[in-house]
Amino acid sequence: MKPFYVTTPIYYVNDRPHIGHAYSTVAADVLARFQRLRGRPVRFLTGTDEHGQKIEEKAKELGKDPQAFVDEMSPPFREAFEELGCTFDDYIRTTDERHETRVQRLWNILVEKGDIYLGEYEGWYSVADEAFITEKEMEELDEVTRSKVQRVREKSYFFKLSAYGDKLLEFYEKHPDSVQPQSRMNEVKSFVKGGLRDLSISRTSFKWGVPVPGDPDHVMYVWLDALTNYMSALGGPAAAGEEELFDRFWPPSADVVHIVGKDILRFHAVYWPAFLMSAGIEPPSQVWAHGWLTVDGQKMSKRFGNFIPPGPLVKEFGRDVVRYYLMREVAFGQDGDFSHKNLIARYHGELGNGLGNLLNRMVASIVKKSLGGEVPAVSESALTDLDRALIATAKASAEAAAKHLDSVAPHRALDAIWELVGAANKYVDTTTPWKLAKGESPEDTARLAVVSYTVLEALRWLAVMLWPYMPDKCDDLLAQLGLPPVAPREGTSAWPSTWGELPAGTQTAPAGALFPRLDDAAQTEILTRLGVAEGEGAKAKPKQAANAKKAAPSGDAAKKKSGPVPVKETVTYEDFTKLDFRLGLVLEAEKLEKSRKLLRLTVDVGEDKPRNVMAGISQHYEPEALIGKRVVVVLNLAPRKIMGMVSEGMVLAASDDSALSVLTIDGELPPGSQVS
């Protein structure tokens, strides 16, 4: 099997770890765990970026030596990721001797290729971003970042980036998935097509960095230094005797996925492959740029005081719940908003009522009381169409989830997995095993065995598929099924594919609720300990929040508000039943360029192919906020052509004069479920 190498950004140590860092690292860990389940050789790297002017200035401000400062700041990142259950194989620091030696080795290779020359740099340098910027880029900076921009004029070594424009564009064309999501690839191509300038790659105005070989008055540009970590951790650029790890986990021998934030995409998708091309080294297979994780609509910032450290969340909810929420709440590649209330809602609705309840009512109730706690034996011939339908859902779920994880879409994989959770719960409701347990006929007893085995096997599949996200909880689930924990083995796939591998006669071991319910008092206590004021952490997206304020006037404004909307004319019950309301899962959403109000939604309503639905909600929702949301759709309206596109349904929403909210549901019922 082809080796798989996944990396996170290396995190800048000018502050403490927060949930933004946790988001990137948990995503990489989910991918690493999944590929290990598939039997692939896996290498997972994270670490810290510790050089640069910003670090030197911060250390000086605190009266500390830069090395002492970074030695203090780096360990909390490692500890936070370990607390989150991240199984990285290596943790690199750019102050490591092994790293500095290999960065200097890369420098010498670039010199030998004739791509580095000495000149003079004059222009703007953003200390906050550790980046050289143009006049136009400076105008686009926020006020605080702009205040830290310096006019620089000094001797500098340059990399001939301008010579790599056509080569980069050719590489993108040959490898169209090398930058993801596709919208980011378009941005990168546009940037390169706009023309590349040679890149200043050394500084003389500060000393905290890797010295330039043969010219110690210069230290290397922090991004040449930092980007090389992905190779230096493998022993690259490889020298004699160091080839084994690098040759195994770098292209073309391996698939390499860099997980990065969208704000550092240019460095990874333009500068980094250009450096590698110059050195004669193949660029990584894929750079995946995710969005920002915001808090109440604002990017996390010291200015706003809204950094959320992962540690207290892990202490209150457990690391698996935090991991699940981070991967579930945000469409990977899009911006997303953190909400304590949403975390609790997903904990109760999806984990507790969905997965936990499925386990509890089968293992702790039916199997324990009616089957002596044993997994029953079932023959293939005893299966009904209903049983086979759930088995087919399980297989489709596993195939889809694997496809999405291979495509670095962990949120989509969870959508696929939750199709099985919903189907299994519906299967239990339909087959009513509690009634079969009370029956006295041989037919009831035989049917109870089939139903019980089918649900227990579905739970086994779910435990394995969810293990990359929630390893501890899934091992606990398997223990209640009487099975050992997940133990990936290189060369052997453990991903579910064959139905019926749960051994008959296995003794189950119910052990209480997998996700114990939190009553209102417990929730209040948790939020208080987390420093969340009443009502906070539940705010909608920025547009919705603004509308909510408008929708709740007070004082004179409240007096002027119009009365209730008049009730429309009465219709008969028969008229109402003609409407077909279904649950739909939003797969894609985009704004229409020529419309202020319309969004085009691609919605899965349980049919062979998704439907195209036009919705006039653009002023209330950003498109990415709708992806993955379950909405109520009227299916049997006559198709209507809007702005040249056919709309095949209507999304229901509640609104007043200023605010609007689409109708959704609690829980994870499958697309196409009847709404009545």
Side-chain angles (χ1 to χ4, degrees):
M1 295 182 179
K2 195 174 186 180
F4 178 78
Y5 181 38
V6 61
T7 70
T8 71
I10 50 172
Y11 303 105
Y12 211 49
V13 292
N14 61 326
D15 217 318
R16 300 285 175 172
H18 55 66
I19 55 171
H21 304 125
Y23 180 65
S24 300
T25 313
V26 168
D29 187 63
V30 168
L31 298 179
R33 286 177 179 271
F34 165 69
Q35 296 297 350
R36 291 188 190 112
L37 276 178
R38 300 290 289 274
R40 296 179 70 177
V42 171
R43 192 85 179 166
F44 170 19
L45 174 71
T46 190
T48 47
D49 180 5
E50 303 179 12
H51 285 136
Q53 184 175 355
K54 191 159 50 173
I55 295 295
E56 185 176 83
E57 291 180 355
K58 182 72 172 180
K60 184 177 180 180
E61 177 188 323
L62 296 172
K64 296 182 179 181
D65 173 77
Q67 185 65 57
F69 174 69
V70 298
D71 285 347
E72 175 187 315
M73 298 299 290
S74 181
F77 284 85
R78 181 172 193 143
E79 292 160 8
F81 302 150
E82 288 174 341
E83 192 174 20
L84 283 160
C86 296
T87 54
F88 45 88
D89 298 285
D90 198 354
Y91 183 92
I92 194 163
R93 299 176 56 186
T94 55
T95 53
D96 289 344
E97 183 180 355
R98 60 169 175 159
H99 172 73
E100 294 190 7
T101 299
R102 287 154 187 160
V103 172
Q104 290 177 323
R105 185 184 298 161
L106 176 62
W107 179 283
N108 286 332
I109 293 172
L110 302 184
V111 169
E112 291 169 7
K113 294 296 179 73
D115 280 337
I116 290 180
Y117 64 90
L118 183 63
E120 185 174 84
Y121 177 80
E122 182 173 5
W124 298 107
Y125 184 79
S126 170
V127 178
D129 298 316
E130 297 281 8
F132 301 99
I133 61 173
T134 64
E135 293 275 358
K136 182 180 179 182
E137 288 171 329
M138 187 178 72
E139 292 172 3
E140 296 172 352
L141 296 176
D142 62 74
E143 185 177 343
V144 174
T145 305
R146 193 183 305 125
S147 70
K148 297 181 181 179
V149 172
Q150 301 175 350
R151 188 72 182 178
V152 175
R153 181 176 182 178
E154 60 185 341
K155 289 285 186 183
S156 176
Y157 285 94
F158 287 81
F159 174 75
K160 293 181 181 178
L161 185 63
S162 60
Y164 285 88
D166 290 342
K167 295 175 183 177
L168 286 167
L169 291 172
E170 183 181 351
F171 176 78
Y172 303 146
E173 290 303 316
K174 287 184 178 178
H175 304 86
D177 296 328
S178 60
V179 178
Q180 289 295 312
Q182 189 59 47
S183 60
R184 302 297 174 205
M185 171 64 96
N186 296 338
E187 291 175 13
V188 168
K189 285 182 179 179
S190 178
F191 176 77
V192 174
K193 288 176 181 177
L196 298 177
R197 300 181 303 160
D198 287 352
L199 181 67
S200 175
I201 54 171
S202 75
R203 298 294 305 277
T204 59
S205 55
F206 64 93
K207 295 299 180 185
W208 186 239
V210 178
V212 168
D215 196 345
D217 289 338
H218 291 254
V219 294
M220 291 185 202
Y221 176 42
V222 68
W223 277 103
L224 175 59
D225 165 10
L227 289 164
T228 309
N229 91 90
Y230 303 124
M231 281 200 307
S232 65
L234 299 174
E242 298 178 343
E243 302 96 339
E244 183 178 352
L245 201 58
F246 181 71
D247 286 352
R248 190 182 191 205
F249 285 101
W250 198 263
S253 301
D255 291 326
V256 176
V257 176
H258 292 329
I259 302 294
V260 304
K262 65 180 182 180
D263 53 330
I264 56 174
L265 177 60
R266 180 190 307 175
F267 305 103
H268 287 80
V270 180
Y271 301 166
W272 180 225
F275 295 153
L276 293 170
M277 288 175 181
S278 175
I281 298 170
E282 188 167 330
S285 315
Q286 195 169 76
V287 175
W288 236 103
H290 63 72
W292 285 324
L293 196 60
T294 60
V295 177
D296 293 334
Q298 290 182 317
K299 184 180 178 182
M300 281 182 285
S301 167
K302 285 186 289 185
R303 280 177 281 151
F304 301 133
N306 62 352
F307 279 122
I308 298 180
L313 292 171
V314 171
K315 182 178 179 181
E316 297 293 348
F317 296 102
R319 65 188 184 188
D320 279 14
V321 173
V322 176
R323 288 168 61 99
Y324 174 82
Y325 174 76
L326 291 175
M327 295 297 97
R328 184 68 162 145
E329 184 73 5
V330 182
F332 203 72
Q334 305 291 336
D335 291 343
D337 199 55
F338 182 91
S339 161
H340 292 85
K341 184 177 180 180
N342 286 352
L343 190 160
I344 292 172
R346 288 197 183 274
Y347 173 85
H348 281 146
E350 297 172 0
L351 298 179
N353 296 340
L355 179 63
N357 189 48
L358 179 65
L359 172 70
N360 188 62
R361 61 178 174 167
M362 184 53 63
V363 173
S365 181
I366 301 299
V367 175
K368 179 181 178 180
K369 296 175 182 177
S370 303
L371 299 174
E374 279 193 7
V375 175
V378 174
S379 67
E380 175 76 17
S381 61
L383 299 180
T384 68
D385 288 345
L386 191 62
D387 310 323
R388 295 181 193 281
L390 183 62
I391 295 170
T393 298
K395 291 181 177 180
S397 174
E399 290 173 6
K403 178 182 176 182
H404 291 314
L405 284 166
D406 276 329
S407 300
V408 192
H411 64 293
R412 296 290 302 276
L414 283 173
D415 284 340
I417 294 168
W418 240 255
E419 297 293 342
L420 178 55
V421 174
N425 274 303
K426 185 177 180 180
Y427 173 85
V428 172
D429 293 339
T430 302
T431 55
T432 59
W434 52 90
K435 291 183 180 178
L436 296 172
K438 293 178 181 178
E440 298 179 357
S441 69
E443 291 78 13
D444 285 339
T445 302
R447 183 65 185 145
L448 177 63
V450 171
V451 169
S452 298
Y453 186 91
T454 302
V455 178
L456 293 174
E457 177 69 340
L459 282 164
R460 184 183 72 83
W461 278 47
L462 286 167
V464 178
M465 289 192 286
L466 286 168
W467 182 81
Y469 301 88
M470 301 185 291
D472 294 340
K473 289 293 186 181
C474 289
D475 283 345
D476 289 347
L477 193 162
L478 289 170
Q480 293 201 41
L481 296 179
L483 299 173
V486 174
R489 286 192 304 162
E490 193 173 303
T492 303
S493 177
W495 191 255
S497 60
T498 303
W499 186 266
E501 293 184 340
L502 176 62
T506 300
Q507 186 68 41
T508 60
L514 201 60
F515 301 98
R517 185 159 189 84
L518 303 171
D519 61 23
D520 290 345
Q523 292 179 40
T524 300
E525 289 175 6
I526 288 172
L527 294 177
T528 300
R529 287 195 293 269
L530 291 172
V532 180
E534 185 176 353
E536 286 185 9
K539 296 181 181 178
K541 301 294 177 187
K543 285 187 177 181
Q544 295 166 269
N547 288 332
K549 292 177 183 177
K550 294 177 185 176
S554 59
D556 292 338
K559 295 175 184 177
K560 295 177 183 178
K561 185 170 175 63
S562 60
V565 177
V567 176
K568 296 181 180 179
E569 65 179 87
T570 301
V571 298
T572 66
Y573 180 77
E574 287 73 20
D575 287 336
F576 175 77
T577 58
K578 292 177 182 178
L579 295 174
D580 190 352
F581 299 99
R582 299 291 183 92
L583 194 63
L585 177 67
V586 180
L587 304 177
E588 298 176 5
E590 65 176 0
K591 289 183 178 179
L592 293 185
E593 292 183 2
K594 297 181 180 179
S595 174
R596 289 189 306 109
K597 296 182 178 180
L598 287 174
L599 292 180
R600 186 187 69 80
L601 309 180
T602 302
V603 185
D604 178 3
V605 291
E607 299 173 325
D608 291 339
K609 64 178 183 177
R611 289 202 181 196
N612 188 65
V613 178
M614 310 293 281
I617 56 177
S618 177
Q619 293 174 303
H620 304 274
Y621 283 91
E622 294 294 341
E624 56 268 19
L626 291 166
I627 296 173
K629 185 179 287 292
R630 281 170 162 76
V631 296
V632 178
V633 182
V634 184
L635 282 196
N636 61 337
L637 288 178
R640 183 181 177 190
K641 200 166 187 178
I642 304 174
M643 295 190 70
M645 298 183 181
V646 176
S647 183
E648 303 170 298
M650 176 185 287
V651 172
L652 298 188
S655 66
D656 63 7
D657 293 338
S658 58
L660 178 146
S661 180
V662 297
L663 298 189
T664 185
I665 64 161
D666 291 331
E668 295 294 320
L669 292 175
S673 296
Q674 194 81 42
V675 178
S676 59

